[in-house]
Amino acid sequence: MTHAKARQIVLAARPHGKPQLTDFRLEETGVPTPRAGQVLLKVRYLSLDPYMRGRMDDRQSYAQPVPLGGVMEGESVATVIASHHPSYAEGDIVLAKTGWCTHALSDRADLRKLDPAVAPVTTWLGVLGMPGFTAYAGVRLIGTPQPRDTVVVAAASGPVGSLVGQLAQLAGARAVGIAGGSEKCAFVQDELRFDAAVNHRAVDFPAQLAAACPNGIDVYFENVGGAIWQAVLPLLNPFARIPVCGLIAQYNGVGQGDGTDWLPATMRALLSKSLTLRGFIYTEFAEQHYAAFLREVGAGIADGRIRYREDIVDGLEQAPEAFIGMLEGRNFGKLIVRVDA
Ligand SMILES: NC(=O)c1ccc[n+]([C@@H]2O[C@H](COP(=O)([O-])OP(=O)(O)OC[C@H]3O[C@@H](n4cnc5c(N)ncnc54)[C@H](OP(=O)(O)O)[C@@H]3O)[C@@H](O)[C@H]2O)c1
């Protein structure tokens, strides 16, 4: 250890429902010294993502929970500030699974070197990173929109949803975005150029969604669950495809809100309309399809056909508040913490 200080945010308590600031703890530690085969990373940008809510619970899932007292999990863009690893040099910028902290050691083979000349480094956390690839995999490999299909996605201004609609349009489909509030809806329609945007906070949201989908829904990319699924269900066309990507409305474990059990209606629709409902985690497709995604979406960003928005918050200590806000829709675009740019 050197005398310099590092900071990290650990899981202090497991939340019951909505996370509270007291579920997190900011700690100061020494900056660790890398040994042979290791690099020392200084975090520049930390990604905050909805999946982190699941890691706070001690519950069976596709990934291990963060232990109590453990550093919150997360991916970041970091600079190598000391290297005892033959493949990395001081000054290299990498994508790394550091967690919520200012400094981290790594000896991992999964560090990815980033070239800032190719795209702004923050895009590797959003549109060119895990969320972007998730959109690509769900649309291209499960949703498979056809020309003139109607594709609907919620959390449409976020990193997954924004790319879902744009990829649907590139396939010749009509993209309808659902977002929380008029400012987000204006962005989805005017900046991302979706064909329509509907505010799920409007009292007549189901009627507005029906009006925006006069020919029904052929692909519903499920990001949210809860009340939005209820509004989508009657609009689904026979043989509709439903990539089930996320259920953010349910992550805090507060149920559907109105006490209605939508499973019987869902199962009835599955059967009577021959729907395809397919859950997925992006890792399933990464090995085979990540390179094609980078080529296609990277080119789309470079020539301006694909647009994205980032919401950058300053300071590691702001991460818990920003994360809690994301679970309530307070972020506007890919949520990133600038730790030390
Ligand atoms: N399967 C996978 O491999 C995979 C990978 C990445 C992400 N995901 C999932 O994809 C979804 C989108 O993720 P993202 O990274 O693009 O994040 P994101 O869009 O930034 O997610 C946050 C947004 O979700 C919406 N939201 C939050 N609580 C809501 C609620 N109760 N009801 C309705 N909307 C709510 C809000 O948007 P509005 O204000 O517009 O409602 C909020 O801004 C999440 O469910 C995530 O877990 C899955």
Side-chain angles (χ1 to χ4, degrees), residues 50 130 134 155 158-160 179-180 184 200 223-224 245-246 249 251 280-282 327 329 331:
M130 180 277 282
T134 300
V160 175
K184 285 185 179 179
H200 68 83
N223 266 342
V224 168
C245 170
Y251 290 174
F280 73 105
I281 303 293
Y282 74 96
L327 298 171
N331 66 309

mmCIF file with all atom_site columns, all heavy atoms in Angstrom, residues 50 130 134 155 158-160 179-180 184 200 223-224 245-246 249 251 280-282 327 329 331, ligand 1:
data_model
loop_
_atom_site.group_PDB
_atom_site.id
_atom_site.type_symbol
_atom_site.label_atom_id
_atom_site.label_alt_id
_atom_site.label_comp_id
_atom_site.label_asym_id
_atom_site.label_entity_id
_atom_site.label_seq_id
_atom_site.pdbx_PDB_ins_code
_atom_site.Cartn_x
_atom_site.Cartn_y
_atom_site.Cartn_z
_atom_site.occupancy
_atom_site.B_iso_or_equiv
_atom_site.pdbx_formal_charge
_atom_site.auth_seq_id
_atom_site.auth_comp_id
_atom_site.auth_asym_id
_atom_site.auth_atom_id
_atom_site.pdbx_PDB_model_num
ATOM   1   N N   . PRO A 1 50  ? -29.265 -0.928  -14.213 1.00 0.00 ? 50  PRO A N   1
ATOM   2   C CA  . PRO A 1 50  ? -30.354 -1.507  -13.418 1.00 0.00 ? 50  PRO A CA  1
ATOM   3   C C   . PRO A 1 50  ? -30.027 -2.865  -12.794 1.00 0.00 ? 50  PRO A C   1
ATOM   4   O O   . PRO A 1 50  ? -30.500 -3.177  -11.697 1.00 0.00 ? 50  PRO A O   1
ATOM   5   C CB  . PRO A 1 50  ? -31.495 -1.626  -14.434 1.00 0.00 ? 50  PRO A CB  1
ATOM   6   C CG  . PRO A 1 50  ? -31.218 -0.558  -15.452 1.00 0.00 ? 50  PRO A CG  1
ATOM   7   C CD  . PRO A 1 50  ? -29.722 -0.479  -15.545 1.00 0.00 ? 50  PRO A CD  1
ATOM   8   N N   . MET A 1 130 ? -22.242 -2.878  -23.061 1.00 0.00 ? 130 MET A N   1
ATOM   9   C CA  . MET A 1 130 ? -23.180 -3.922  -22.671 1.00 0.00 ? 130 MET A CA  1
ATOM   10  C C   . MET A 1 130 ? -24.642 -3.554  -22.991 1.00 0.00 ? 130 MET A C   1
ATOM   11  O O   . MET A 1 130 ? -25.364 -4.367  -23.592 1.00 0.00 ? 130 MET A O   1
ATOM   12  C CB  . MET A 1 130 ? -22.967 -4.240  -21.182 1.00 0.00 ? 130 MET A CB  1
ATOM   13  C CG  . MET A 1 130 ? -23.848 -5.303  -20.612 1.00 0.00 ? 130 MET A CG  1
ATOM   14  S SD  . MET A 1 130 ? -25.467 -4.683  -20.126 1.00 0.00 ? 130 MET A SD  1
ATOM   15  C CE  . MET A 1 130 ? -25.120 -3.874  -18.586 1.00 0.00 ? 130 MET A CE  1
ATOM   16  N N   . THR A 1 134 ? -26.990 -5.451  -25.782 1.00 0.00 ? 134 THR A N   1
ATOM   17  C CA  . THR A 1 134 ? -28.237 -6.089  -25.334 1.00 0.00 ? 134 THR A CA  1
ATOM   18  C C   . THR A 1 134 ? -29.382 -5.729  -26.286 1.00 0.00 ? 134 THR A C   1
ATOM   19  O O   . THR A 1 134 ? -30.181 -6.595  -26.689 1.00 0.00 ? 134 THR A O   1
ATOM   20  C CB  . THR A 1 134 ? -28.557 -5.632  -23.901 1.00 0.00 ? 134 THR A CB  1
ATOM   21  O OG1 . THR A 1 134 ? -27.477 -6.016  -23.055 1.00 0.00 ? 134 THR A OG1 1
ATOM   22  C CG2 . THR A 1 134 ? -29.845 -6.238  -23.398 1.00 0.00 ? 134 THR A CG2 1
ATOM   23  N N   . ALA A 1 155 ? -38.723 2.464   -21.497 1.00 0.00 ? 155 ALA A N   1
ATOM   24  C CA  . ALA A 1 155 ? -37.425 3.048   -21.095 1.00 0.00 ? 155 ALA A CA  1
ATOM   25  C C   . ALA A 1 155 ? -36.706 3.458   -22.380 1.00 0.00 ? 155 ALA A C   1
ATOM   26  O O   . ALA A 1 155 ? -35.515 3.203   -22.580 1.00 0.00 ? 155 ALA A O   1
ATOM   27  C CB  . ALA A 1 155 ? -36.595 2.076   -20.255 1.00 0.00 ? 155 ALA A CB  1
ATOM   28  N N   . GLY A 1 158 ? -33.405 5.472   -22.618 1.00 0.00 ? 158 GLY A N   1
ATOM   29  C CA  . GLY A 1 158 ? -32.231 4.866   -21.979 1.00 0.00 ? 158 GLY A CA  1
ATOM   30  C C   . GLY A 1 158 ? -31.350 4.169   -23.001 1.00 0.00 ? 158 GLY A C   1
ATOM   31  O O   . GLY A 1 158 ? -31.680 4.094   -24.190 1.00 0.00 ? 158 GLY A O   1
ATOM   32  N N   . PRO A 1 159 ? -30.214 3.637   -22.544 1.00 0.00 ? 159 PRO A N   1
ATOM   33  C CA  . PRO A 1 159 ? -29.251 3.078   -23.495 1.00 0.00 ? 159 PRO A CA  1
ATOM   34  C C   . PRO A 1 159 ? -29.748 1.848   -24.245 1.00 0.00 ? 159 PRO A C   1
ATOM   35  O O   . PRO A 1 159 ? -29.446 1.685   -25.424 1.00 0.00 ? 159 PRO A O   1
ATOM   36  C CB  . PRO A 1 159 ? -28.048 2.736   -22.623 1.00 0.00 ? 159 PRO A CB  1
ATOM   37  C CG  . PRO A 1 159 ? -28.559 2.677   -21.225 1.00 0.00 ? 159 PRO A CG  1
ATOM   38  C CD  . PRO A 1 159 ? -29.719 3.619   -21.170 1.00 0.00 ? 159 PRO A CD  1
ATOM   39  N N   . VAL A 1 160 ? -30.534 0.984   -23.600 1.00 0.00 ? 160 VAL A N   1
ATOM   40  C CA  . VAL A 1 160 ? -31.072 -0.178  -24.317 1.00 0.00 ? 160 VAL A CA  1
ATOM   41  C C   . VAL A 1 160 ? -32.202 0.286   -25.236 1.00 0.00 ? 160 VAL A C   1
ATOM   42  O O   . VAL A 1 160 ? -32.172 0.082   -26.455 1.00 0.00 ? 160 VAL A O   1
ATOM   43  C CB  . VAL A 1 160 ? -31.570 -1.268  -23.340 1.00 0.00 ? 160 VAL A CB  1
ATOM   44  C CG1 . VAL A 1 160 ? -32.223 -2.408  -24.108 1.00 0.00 ? 160 VAL A CG1 1
ATOM   45  C CG2 . VAL A 1 160 ? -30.425 -1.807  -22.486 1.00 0.00 ? 160 VAL A CG2 1
ATOM   46  N N   . ALA A 1 179 ? -41.886 6.363   -22.661 1.00 0.00 ? 179 ALA A N   1
ATOM   47  C CA  . ALA A 1 179 ? -40.935 6.998   -21.744 1.00 0.00 ? 179 ALA A CA  1
ATOM   48  C C   . ALA A 1 179 ? -41.710 7.763   -20.676 1.00 0.00 ? 179 ALA A C   1
ATOM   49  O O   . ALA A 1 179 ? -42.902 8.045   -20.834 1.00 0.00 ? 179 ALA A O   1
ATOM   50  C CB  . ALA A 1 179 ? -40.001 7.925   -22.506 1.00 0.00 ? 179 ALA A CB  1
ATOM   51  N N   . GLY A 1 180 ? -41.003 8.098   -19.588 1.00 0.00 ? 180 GLY A N   1
ATOM   52  C CA  . GLY A 1 180 ? -41.647 8.770   -18.456 1.00 0.00 ? 180 GLY A CA  1
ATOM   53  C C   . GLY A 1 180 ? -41.524 10.280  -18.553 1.00 0.00 ? 180 GLY A C   1
ATOM   54  O O   . GLY A 1 180 ? -40.463 10.821  -18.259 1.00 0.00 ? 180 GLY A O   1
ATOM   55  N N   . LYS A 1 184 ? -38.736 13.503  -21.953 1.00 0.00 ? 184 LYS A N   1
ATOM   56  C CA  . LYS A 1 184 ? -38.146 12.275  -22.499 1.00 0.00 ? 184 LYS A CA  1
ATOM   57  C C   . LYS A 1 184 ? -38.847 11.881  -23.805 1.00 0.00 ? 184 LYS A C   1
ATOM   58  O O   . LYS A 1 184 ? -38.209 11.441  -24.755 1.00 0.00 ? 184 LYS A O   1
ATOM   59  C CB  . LYS A 1 184 ? -38.229 11.133  -21.483 1.00 0.00 ? 184 LYS A CB  1
ATOM   60  C CG  . LYS A 1 184 ? -37.233 11.250  -20.335 1.00 0.00 ? 184 LYS A CG  1
ATOM   61  C CD  . LYS A 1 184 ? -37.300 10.016  -19.429 1.00 0.00 ? 184 LYS A CD  1
ATOM   62  C CE  . LYS A 1 184 ? -36.293 10.104  -18.291 1.00 0.00 ? 184 LYS A CE  1
ATOM   63  N NZ  . LYS A 1 184 ? -36.351 8.935   -17.396 1.00 0.00 ? 184 LYS A NZ  1
ATOM   64  N N   . HIS A 1 200 ? -45.743 7.116   -20.279 1.00 0.00 ? 200 HIS A N   1
ATOM   65  C CA  . HIS A 1 200 ? -46.433 6.118   -19.437 1.00 0.00 ? 200 HIS A CA  1
ATOM   66  C C   . HIS A 1 200 ? -46.965 6.718   -18.143 1.00 0.00 ? 200 HIS A C   1
ATOM   67  O O   . HIS A 1 200 ? -47.688 6.056   -17.404 1.00 0.00 ? 200 HIS A O   1
ATOM   68  C CB  . HIS A 1 200 ? -45.538 4.904   -19.154 1.00 0.00 ? 200 HIS A CB  1
ATOM   69  C CG  . HIS A 1 200 ? -44.354 5.162   -18.269 1.00 0.00 ? 200 HIS A CG  1
ATOM   70  N ND1 . HIS A 1 200 ? -44.435 5.183   -16.905 1.00 0.00 ? 200 HIS A ND1 1
ATOM   71  C CD2 . HIS A 1 200 ? -43.054 5.404   -18.559 1.00 0.00 ? 200 HIS A CD2 1
ATOM   72  C CE1 . HIS A 1 200 ? -43.235 5.417   -16.385 1.00 0.00 ? 200 HIS A CE1 1
ATOM   73  N NE2 . HIS A 1 200 ? -42.375 5.563   -17.379 1.00 0.00 ? 200 HIS A NE2 1
ATOM   74  N N   . ASN A 1 223 ? -38.607 -4.110  -21.398 1.00 0.00 ? 223 ASN A N   1
ATOM   75  C CA  . ASN A 1 223 ? -37.565 -3.550  -20.524 1.00 0.00 ? 223 ASN A CA  1
ATOM   76  C C   . ASN A 1 223 ? -38.065 -3.303  -19.107 1.00 0.00 ? 223 ASN A C   1
ATOM   77  O O   . ASN A 1 223 ? -37.273 -3.044  -18.220 1.00 0.00 ? 223 ASN A O   1
ATOM   78  C CB  . ASN A 1 223 ? -37.134 -2.174  -21.065 1.00 0.00 ? 223 ASN A CB  1
ATOM   79  C CG  . ASN A 1 223 ? -35.934 -2.252  -21.984 1.00 0.00 ? 223 ASN A CG  1
ATOM   80  O OD1 . ASN A 1 223 ? -35.211 -3.234  -21.973 1.00 0.00 ? 223 ASN A OD1 1
ATOM   81  N ND2 . ASN A 1 223 ? -35.722 -1.209  -22.764 1.00 0.00 ? 223 ASN A ND2 1
ATOM   82  N N   . VAL A 1 224 ? -39.389 -3.296  -18.918 1.00 0.00 ? 224 VAL A N   1
ATOM   83  C CA  . VAL A 1 224 ? -39.944 -2.677  -17.713 1.00 0.00 ? 224 VAL A CA  1
ATOM   84  C C   . VAL A 1 224 ? -40.897 -3.582  -16.925 1.00 0.00 ? 224 VAL A C   1
ATOM   85  O O   . VAL A 1 224 ? -40.790 -3.665  -15.705 1.00 0.00 ? 224 VAL A O   1
ATOM   86  C CB  . VAL A 1 224 ? -40.642 -1.349  -18.116 1.00 0.00 ? 224 VAL A CB  1
ATOM   87  C CG1 . VAL A 1 224 ? -41.484 -0.828  -16.977 1.00 0.00 ? 224 VAL A CG1 1
ATOM   88  C CG2 . VAL A 1 224 ? -39.598 -0.304  -18.505 1.00 0.00 ? 224 VAL A CG2 1
ATOM   89  N N   . CYS A 1 245 ? -36.152 -8.562  -21.814 1.00 0.00 ? 245 CYS A N   1
ATOM   90  C CA  . CYS A 1 245 ? -34.804 -8.085  -21.521 1.00 0.00 ? 245 CYS A CA  1
ATOM   91  C C   . CYS A 1 245 ? -34.666 -7.644  -20.068 1.00 0.00 ? 245 CYS A C   1
ATOM   92  O O   . CYS A 1 245 ? -33.665 -7.906  -19.411 1.00 0.00 ? 245 CYS A O   1
ATOM   93  C CB  . CYS A 1 245 ? -34.520 -6.915  -22.464 1.00 0.00 ? 245 CYS A CB  1
ATOM   94  S SG  . CYS A 1 245 ? -33.030 -6.016  -22.081 1.00 0.00 ? 245 CYS A SG  1
ATOM   95  N N   . GLY A 1 246 ? -35.683 -6.955  -19.554 1.00 0.00 ? 246 GLY A N   1
ATOM   96  C CA  . GLY A 1 246 ? -35.603 -6.429  -18.191 1.00 0.00 ? 246 GLY A CA  1
ATOM   97  C C   . GLY A 1 246 ? -36.985 -6.136  -17.649 1.00 0.00 ? 246 GLY A C   1
ATOM   98  O O   . GLY A 1 246 ? -37.958 -6.008  -18.405 1.00 0.00 ? 246 GLY A O   1
ATOM   99  N N   . ALA A 1 249 ? -39.485 -2.178  -13.469 1.00 0.00 ? 249 ALA A N   1
ATOM   100 C CA  . ALA A 1 249 ? -40.586 -1.748  -12.583 1.00 0.00 ? 249 ALA A CA  1
ATOM   101 C C   . ALA A 1 249 ? -40.759 -2.714  -11.409 1.00 0.00 ? 249 ALA A C   1
ATOM   102 O O   . ALA A 1 249 ? -41.397 -2.378  -10.419 1.00 0.00 ? 249 ALA A O   1
ATOM   103 C CB  . ALA A 1 249 ? -41.890 -1.651  -13.366 1.00 0.00 ? 249 ALA A CB  1
ATOM   104 N N   . TYR A 1 251 ? -38.019 -4.442  -9.954  1.00 0.00 ? 251 TYR A N   1
ATOM   105 C CA  . TYR A 1 251 ? -36.750 -4.746  -9.277  1.00 0.00 ? 251 TYR A CA  1
ATOM   106 C C   . TYR A 1 251 ? -36.780 -4.406  -7.783  1.00 0.00 ? 251 TYR A C   1
ATOM   107 O O   . TYR A 1 251 ? -36.057 -5.005  -7.007  1.00 0.00 ? 251 TYR A O   1
ATOM   108 C CB  . TYR A 1 251 ? -35.573 -4.008  -9.923  1.00 0.00 ? 251 TYR A CB  1
ATOM   109 C CG  . TYR A 1 251 ? -35.199 -4.523  -11.300 1.00 0.00 ? 251 TYR A CG  1
ATOM   110 C CD1 . TYR A 1 251 ? -34.234 -3.873  -12.054 1.00 0.00 ? 251 TYR A CD1 1
ATOM   111 C CD2 . TYR A 1 251 ? -35.793 -5.646  -11.843 1.00 0.00 ? 251 TYR A CD2 1
ATOM   112 C CE1 . TYR A 1 251 ? -33.882 -4.321  -13.316 1.00 0.00 ? 251 TYR A CE1 1
ATOM   113 C CE2 . TYR A 1 251 ? -35.462 -6.096  -13.104 1.00 0.00 ? 251 TYR A CE2 1
ATOM   114 C CZ  . TYR A 1 251 ? -34.502 -5.430  -13.844 1.00 0.00 ? 251 TYR A CZ  1
ATOM   115 O OH  . TYR A 1 251 ? -34.162 -5.879  -15.088 1.00 0.00 ? 251 TYR A OH  1
ATOM   116 N N   . PHE A 1 280 ? -33.797 -13.329 -22.083 1.00 0.00 ? 280 PHE A N   1
ATOM   117 C CA  . PHE A 1 280 ? -32.378 -13.490 -22.434 1.00 0.00 ? 280 PHE A CA  1
ATOM   118 C C   . PHE A 1 280 ? -31.498 -12.587 -21.587 1.00 0.00 ? 280 PHE A C   1
ATOM   119 O O   . PHE A 1 280 ? -31.942 -11.559 -21.087 1.00 0.00 ? 280 PHE A O   1
ATOM   120 C CB  . PHE A 1 280 ? -32.131 -13.186 -23.922 1.00 0.00 ? 280 PHE A CB  1
ATOM   121 C CG  . PHE A 1 280 ? -32.204 -11.712 -24.269 1.00 0.00 ? 280 PHE A CG  1
ATOM   122 C CD1 . PHE A 1 280 ? -31.035 -10.994 -24.519 1.00 0.00 ? 280 PHE A CD1 1
ATOM   123 C CD2 . PHE A 1 280 ? -33.407 -11.049 -24.329 1.00 0.00 ? 280 PHE A CD2 1
ATOM   124 C CE1 . PHE A 1 280 ? -31.091 -9.641  -24.826 1.00 0.00 ? 280 PHE A CE1 1
ATOM   125 C CE2 . PHE A 1 280 ? -33.472 -9.695  -24.636 1.00 0.00 ? 280 PHE A CE2 1
ATOM   126 C CZ  . PHE A 1 280 ? -32.320 -8.993  -24.889 1.00 0.00 ? 280 PHE A CZ  1
ATOM   127 N N   . ILE A 1 281 ? -30.262 -13.021 -21.434 1.00 0.00 ? 281 ILE A N   1
ATOM   128 C CA  . ILE A 1 281 ? -29.199 -12.209 -20.846 1.00 0.00 ? 281 ILE A CA  1
ATOM   129 C C   . ILE A 1 281 ? -28.173 -12.034 -21.968 1.00 0.00 ? 281 ILE A C   1
ATOM   130 O O   . ILE A 1 281 ? -27.839 -13.019 -22.649 1.00 0.00 ? 281 ILE A O   1
ATOM   131 C CB  . ILE A 1 281 ? -28.547 -12.923 -19.637 1.00 0.00 ? 281 ILE A CB  1
ATOM   132 C CG1 . ILE A 1 281 ? -29.595 -13.275 -18.567 1.00 0.00 ? 281 ILE A CG1 1
ATOM   133 C CG2 . ILE A 1 281 ? -27.423 -12.072 -19.036 1.00 0.00 ? 281 ILE A CG2 1
ATOM   134 C CD1 . ILE A 1 281 ? -30.236 -12.106 -17.869 1.00 0.00 ? 281 ILE A CD1 1
ATOM   135 N N   . TYR A 1 282 ? -27.689 -10.829 -22.142 1.00 0.00 ? 282 TYR A N   1
ATOM   136 C CA  . TYR A 1 282 ? -26.871 -10.517 -23.324 1.00 0.00 ? 282 TYR A CA  1
ATOM   137 C C   . TYR A 1 282 ? -25.666 -11.452 -23.495 1.00 0.00 ? 282 TYR A C   1
ATOM   138 O O   . TYR A 1 282 ? -25.222 -11.720 -24.613 1.00 0.00 ? 282 TYR A O   1
ATOM   139 C CB  . TYR A 1 282 ? -26.393 -9.059  -23.264 1.00 0.00 ? 282 TYR A CB  1
ATOM   140 C CG  . TYR A 1 282 ? -25.304 -8.835  -22.249 1.00 0.00 ? 282 TYR A CG  1
ATOM   141 C CD1 . TYR A 1 282 ? -23.963 -8.836  -22.626 1.00 0.00 ? 282 TYR A CD1 1
ATOM   142 C CD2 . TYR A 1 282 ? -25.600 -8.672  -20.899 1.00 0.00 ? 282 TYR A CD2 1
ATOM   143 C CE1 . TYR A 1 282 ? -22.953 -8.673  -21.695 1.00 0.00 ? 282 TYR A CE1 1
ATOM   144 C CE2 . TYR A 1 282 ? -24.597 -8.518  -19.955 1.00 0.00 ? 282 TYR A CE2 1
ATOM   145 C CZ  . TYR A 1 282 ? -23.282 -8.518  -20.362 1.00 0.00 ? 282 TYR A CZ  1
ATOM   146 O OH  . TYR A 1 282 ? -22.291 -8.373  -19.435 1.00 0.00 ? 282 TYR A OH  1
ATOM   147 N N   . LEU A 1 327 ? -33.728 4.016   -10.646 1.00 0.00 ? 327 LEU A N   1
ATOM   148 C CA  . LEU A 1 327 ? -34.811 3.045   -10.426 1.00 0.00 ? 327 LEU A CA  1
ATOM   149 C C   . LEU A 1 327 ? -36.170 3.736   -10.337 1.00 0.00 ? 327 LEU A C   1
ATOM   150 O O   . LEU A 1 327 ? -37.208 3.082   -10.268 1.00 0.00 ? 327 LEU A O   1
ATOM   151 C CB  . LEU A 1 327 ? -34.533 2.220   -9.167  1.00 0.00 ? 327 LEU A CB  1
ATOM   152 C CG  . LEU A 1 327 ? -33.249 1.379   -9.223  1.00 0.00 ? 327 LEU A CG  1
ATOM   153 C CD1 . LEU A 1 327 ? -32.942 0.765   -7.861  1.00 0.00 ? 327 LEU A CD1 1
ATOM   154 C CD2 . LEU A 1 327 ? -33.342 0.286   -10.284 1.00 0.00 ? 327 LEU A CD2 1
ATOM   155 N N   . GLY A 1 329 ? -36.641 6.487   -12.531 1.00 0.00 ? 329 GLY A N   1
ATOM   156 C CA  . GLY A 1 329 ? -36.738 7.212   -13.801 1.00 0.00 ? 329 GLY A CA  1
ATOM   157 C C   . GLY A 1 329 ? -36.148 8.607   -13.775 1.00 0.00 ? 329 GLY A C   1
ATOM   158 O O   . GLY A 1 329 ? -36.426 9.409   -14.661 1.00 0.00 ? 329 GLY A O   1
ATOM   159 N N   . ASN A 1 331 ? -32.944 9.372   -14.171 1.00 0.00 ? 331 ASN A N   1
ATOM   160 C CA  . ASN A 1 331 ? -31.868 9.552   -15.168 1.00 0.00 ? 331 ASN A CA  1
ATOM   161 C C   . ASN A 1 331 ? -32.488 9.856   -16.523 1.00 0.00 ? 331 ASN A C   1
ATOM   162 O O   . ASN A 1 331 ? -33.646 9.524   -16.791 1.00 0.00 ? 331 ASN A O   1
ATOM   163 C CB  . ASN A 1 331 ? -31.008 8.283   -15.262 1.00 0.00 ? 331 ASN A CB  1
ATOM   164 C CG  . ASN A 1 331 ? -31.785 7.098   -15.816 1.00 0.00 ? 331 ASN A CG  1
ATOM   165 O OD1 . ASN A 1 331 ? -32.871 6.802   -15.334 1.00 0.00 ? 331 ASN A OD1 1
ATOM   166 N ND2 . ASN A 1 331 ? -31.259 6.439   -16.816 1.00 0.00 ? 331 ASN A ND2 1
HETATM 167 N N1  . LIG B 2 .   ? -31.146 -8.986  -20.315 1.00 0.00 ? 1   LIG B N1  1
HETATM 168 C C1  . LIG B 2 .   ? -29.974 -8.344  -20.315 1.00 0.00 ? 1   LIG B C1  1
HETATM 169 O O1  . LIG B 2 .   ? -28.921 -8.902  -20.631 1.00 0.00 ? 1   LIG B O1  1
HETATM 170 C C2  . LIG B 2 .   ? -29.966 -6.878  -19.967 1.00 0.00 ? 1   LIG B C2  1
HETATM 171 C C3  . LIG B 2 .   ? -28.807 -6.096  -20.163 1.00 0.00 ? 1   LIG B C3  1
HETATM 172 C C4  . LIG B 2 .   ? -28.884 -4.712  -19.927 1.00 0.00 ? 1   LIG B C4  1
HETATM 173 C C5  . LIG B 2 .   ? -30.062 -4.139  -19.449 1.00 0.00 ? 1   LIG B C5  1
HETATM 174 N N2  . LIG B 2 .   ? -31.140 -4.934  -19.226 1.00 0.00 ? 1   LIG B N2  1
HETATM 175 C C6  . LIG B 2 .   ? -32.412 -4.354  -18.768 1.00 0.00 ? 1   LIG B C6  1
HETATM 176 O O2  . LIG B 2 .   ? -32.861 -3.425  -19.736 1.00 0.00 ? 1   LIG B O2  1
HETATM 177 C C7  . LIG B 2 .   ? -33.678 -2.433  -19.114 1.00 0.00 ? 1   LIG B C7  1
HETATM 178 C C8  . LIG B 2 .   ? -33.182 -1.037  -19.518 1.00 0.00 ? 1   LIG B C8  1
HETATM 179 O O3  . LIG B 2 .   ? -31.861 -0.872  -19.048 1.00 0.00 ? 1   LIG B O3  1
HETATM 180 P P1  . LIG B 2 .   ? -30.971 0.391   -19.423 1.00 0.00 ? 1   LIG B P1  1
HETATM 181 O O4  . LIG B 2 .   ? -29.590 0.041   -19.082 1.00 0.00 ? 1   LIG B O4  1
HETATM 182 O O5  . LIG B 2 .   ? -31.312 0.852   -20.790 1.00 0.00 ? 1   LIG B O5  1
HETATM 183 O O6  . LIG B 2 .   ? -31.367 1.476   -18.342 1.00 0.00 ? 1   LIG B O6  1
HETATM 184 P P2  . LIG B 2 .   ? -32.298 2.788   -18.338 1.00 0.00 ? 1   LIG B P2  1
HETATM 185 O O7  . LIG B 2 .   ? -33.180 2.882   -19.524 1.00 0.00 ? 1   LIG B O7  1
HETATM 186 O O8  . LIG B 2 .   ? -31.468 3.933   -18.013 1.00 0.00 ? 1   LIG B O8  1
HETATM 187 O O9  . LIG B 2 .   ? -33.207 2.357   -17.110 1.00 0.00 ? 1   LIG B O9  1
HETATM 188 C C9  . LIG B 2 .   ? -33.757 3.266   -16.265 1.00 0.00 ? 1   LIG B C9  1
HETATM 189 C C10 . LIG B 2 .   ? -35.096 3.752   -16.842 1.00 0.00 ? 1   LIG B C10 1
HETATM 190 O O10 . LIG B 2 .   ? -36.104 2.763   -16.637 1.00 0.00 ? 1   LIG B O10 1
HETATM 191 C C11 . LIG B 2 .   ? -37.354 3.408   -16.522 1.00 0.00 ? 1   LIG B C11 1
HETATM 192 N N3  . LIG B 2 .   ? -38.010 2.985   -15.278 1.00 0.00 ? 1   LIG B N3  1
HETATM 193 C C12 . LIG B 2 .   ? -37.488 2.884   -14.058 1.00 0.00 ? 1   LIG B C12 1
HETATM 194 N N4  . LIG B 2 .   ? -38.417 2.505   -13.174 1.00 0.00 ? 1   LIG B N4  1
HETATM 195 C C13 . LIG B 2 .   ? -39.570 2.356   -13.875 1.00 0.00 ? 1   LIG B C13 1
HETATM 196 C C14 . LIG B 2 .   ? -40.892 1.975   -13.528 1.00 0.00 ? 1   LIG B C14 1
HETATM 197 N N5  . LIG B 2 .   ? -41.203 1.652   -12.274 1.00 0.00 ? 1   LIG B N5  1
HETATM 198 N N6  . LIG B 2 .   ? -41.816 1.933   -14.514 1.00 0.00 ? 1   LIG B N6  1
HETATM 199 C C15 . LIG B 2 .   ? -41.507 2.276   -15.774 1.00 0.00 ? 1   LIG B C15 1
HETATM 200 N N7  . LIG B 2 .   ? -40.264 2.649   -16.164 1.00 0.00 ? 1   LIG B N7  1
HETATM 201 C C16 . LIG B 2 .   ? -39.316 2.683   -15.213 1.00 0.00 ? 1   LIG B C16 1
HETATM 202 C C17 . LIG B 2 .   ? -37.077 4.900   -16.431 1.00 0.00 ? 1   LIG B C17 1
HETATM 203 O O11 . LIG B 2 .   ? -37.323 5.461   -17.711 1.00 0.00 ? 1   LIG B O11 1
HETATM 204 P P3  . LIG B 2 .   ? -38.685 6.283   -17.963 1.00 0.00 ? 1   LIG B P3  1
HETATM 205 O O12 . LIG B 2 .   ? -38.611 7.486   -17.070 1.00 0.00 ? 1   LIG B O12 1
HETATM 206 O O13 . LIG B 2 .   ? -38.627 6.590   -19.405 1.00 0.00 ? 1   LIG B O13 1
HETATM 207 O O14 . LIG B 2 .   ? -39.799 5.355   -17.591 1.00 0.00 ? 1   LIG B O14 1
HETATM 208 C C18 . LIG B 2 .   ? -35.599 4.965   -16.125 1.00 0.00 ? 1   LIG B C18 1
HETATM 209 O O15 . LIG B 2 .   ? -35.009 6.168   -16.581 1.00 0.00 ? 1   LIG B O15 1
HETATM 210 C C19 . LIG B 2 .   ? -33.599 -2.718  -17.611 1.00 0.00 ? 1   LIG B C19 1
HETATM 211 O O16 . LIG B 2 .   ? -34.733 -3.456  -17.233 1.00 0.00 ? 1   LIG B O16 1
HETATM 212 C C20 . LIG B 2 .   ? -32.346 -3.571  -17.481 1.00 0.00 ? 1   LIG B C20 1
HETATM 213 O O17 . LIG B 2 .   ? -32.361 -4.386  -16.343 1.00 0.00 ? 1   LIG B O17 1
HETATM 214 C C21 . LIG B 2 .   ? -31.103 -6.270  -19.469 1.00 0.00 ? 1   LIG B C21 1
#
